Amino acid sequence: MQLHFQHSSLDLSTARVMGVLNVTPDSFSDGGLYVAHESAVEHALAMIEDGADIVDVGGESTRPGAEPVSESEELDRVIGVIEALRRETVVPISIDTSKPAVMRAAVAAGAAMVNDVCALKNSDVSSLAALDVPVCLMHMQGEPRTMQKQPRYDDVVAEVRDYLRRRAQDCEMAGIPAERIVLDPGFGFGKDLQHNLALLKNLDKLVACGYPVLVGLSRKSLIPAIMASAGRTSRARDRVGGSVTLALYAVRQGAHIVRVHDVRETVEGLTIQRSLDND
Ligand code: YH5
């Protein structure tokens, strides 16, 4: 399986790492956008050095409870970073946004892929098809501000799979070829611990749909939730071991791309897992 960008492609027969690059003022506490841009580019280059295969640039926090960001603020955050990164690296850049105008401007600035936690529900898919870039369609129940209040499913695995399969079909009808579609169950997006665990243990059922599968488990609250259910506490800043363990498990279940904050540690884990599988 391959993921085709406009100027390159990624062989997905081994798992690939997408490094998370948040360009939000709160992740760079100095305040100013110039400083945020400089540190974002520096951080992206460090992730590439550590083995990131894709850099996912996001200007809107989609954490539970986060407030929405205006289109012009989001553009101000991400476009300069994408342009600067494109001058420094050939590693494909993905744009993490749900706003069609941001997708367009990001691709014009050099982004090679669109990652939308709303699965292109806010977009006119036929006009986005013309951008000719891969898209990641993610499942979410509800909206970021309220999604963790009361998530409910009869059969979370079947519902998420059916939703994503339908969205993928809609996108194909609107002109996005199947080879440019990636599916993501959306861990933590309107899911409680039991839902997240059921999706992870049954990830093979999503993989069986035939599209590449991307997962984002890195530093998410299911890690302290699992620790708490085992009678242990975990520190807010101390989720690296859990994140790597979850990424390796997801890859064993067939995930093709893992979206992570801790690129070096994840690449180390994946490299060791692969060498154990191969000998
Ligand atoms: C994802 O899964 N996630 S942004 C809460 C955290 C830690 C991390 C409570 N964008 C995904 O990373 N795109 C985000 O601690 C994503 N898949 C895709 N495709 C949320 C996030 C996070 C939230």
Side-chain angles (χ1 to χ4, degrees), residues 22 36 52 57 80 91 115 119 130 162 186 203 205 225 262 266 272:
N22 287 319
V57 179
V91 168
N115 172 28
D162 292 350
L203 198 66
K205 294 184 173 106
D262 305 291
T266 308
I272 290 172

Side-chain angles (χ1 to χ4, degrees), residues 18 20 22 56 60-64 96 115-117 136-138 147 184-189 214-222 239 259 261:
M18 170 186 272
V20 178
N22 287 319
D56 189 38
E60 177 183 32
S61 176
T62 39
R63 284 170 180 243
D96 185 350
N115 172 28
D116 184 2
V117 298
C136 179
L137 306 175
M138 198 196 79
M147 64 193 176
D184 183 338
F187 289 102
F189 285 84
L214 185 153
V215 297
L217 292 151
S218 182
R219 296 190 189 172
K220 285 187 180 171
S221 54
L222 81 158
R239 296 181 179 181
R259 181 183 178 276
H261 300 83

Side-chain angles (χ1 to χ4, degrees), residues 1-145:
M1 196 178 261
Q2 296 253 345
L3 190 59
H4 294 284
F5 303 105
Q6 265 164 355
H7 303 289
S8 64
S9 58
L10 212 50
D11 175 12
L12 299 179
S13 60
T14 60
R16 297 296 177 170
V17 173
M18 170 186 272
V20 178
L21 189 69
N22 287 319
V23 193
T24 51
D26 52 74
S27 53
F28 300 98
S29 48
D30 311 66
L33 210 48
Y34 179 77
V35 178
H37 280 186
E38 294 253 293
S39 5
V41 171
E42 203 176 300
H43 184 59
L45 296 175
M47 289 196 294
I48 290 165
E49 185 76 26
D50 289 344
D53 300 294
I54 305 172
V55 173
D56 189 38
V57 179
E60 177 183 32
S61 176
T62 39
R63 284 170 180 243
E67 292 297 329
V69 171
S70 76
E71 183 178 297
S72 65
E73 172 67 18
E74 206 178 318
L75 287 166
D76 285 347
R77 289 181 184 181
V78 299
I79 299 305
V81 171
I82 293 169
E83 287 170 346
L85 266 179
R86 270 306 305 266
R87 290 192 289 268
E88 305 269 349
T89 179
V90 298
V91 168
I93 299 162
S94 139
I95 175 68
D96 185 350
T97 188
S98 298
K99 297 188 181 76
V102 178
M103 295 173 190
R104 257 172 239 298
V107 171
M113 176 176 174
V114 165
N115 172 28
D116 184 2
V117 298
C118 295
L120 302 184
K121 271 190 300 185
N122 306 333
S123 305
D124 170 36
V125 179
S126 343
S127 69
L128 282 186
L131 293 180
D132 232 22
V133 297
V135 294
C136 179
L137 306 175
M138 198 196 79
H139 175 275
M140 166 163 31
Q141 184 178 86
E143 51 167 289
R145 209 169 42 78

Side-chain angles (χ1 to χ4, degrees), residues 63-64 148 187-189 191-197 200 215-250 259-262 265-266:
R63 284 170 180 243
Q148 292 305 98
F187 289 102
F189 285 84
K191 284 118 190 157
D192 66 18
L193 177 60
Q194 295 317 313
H195 300 139
N196 287 321
L197 291 176
L200 187 52
V215 297
L217 292 151
S218 182
R219 296 190 189 172
K220 285 187 180 171
S221 54
L222 81 158
I223 296 164
I226 293 170
M227 295 308 288
S229 69
R232 294 200 163 270
T233 55
S234 68
R235 282 173 296 226
R237 290 190 53 77
D238 191 25
R239 296 181 179 181
V240 182
S243 298
V244 173
T245 306
L246 291 168
L248 295 185
Y249 182 86
R259 181 183 178 276
V260 305
H261 300 83
D262 305 291
E265 292 83 352
T266 308

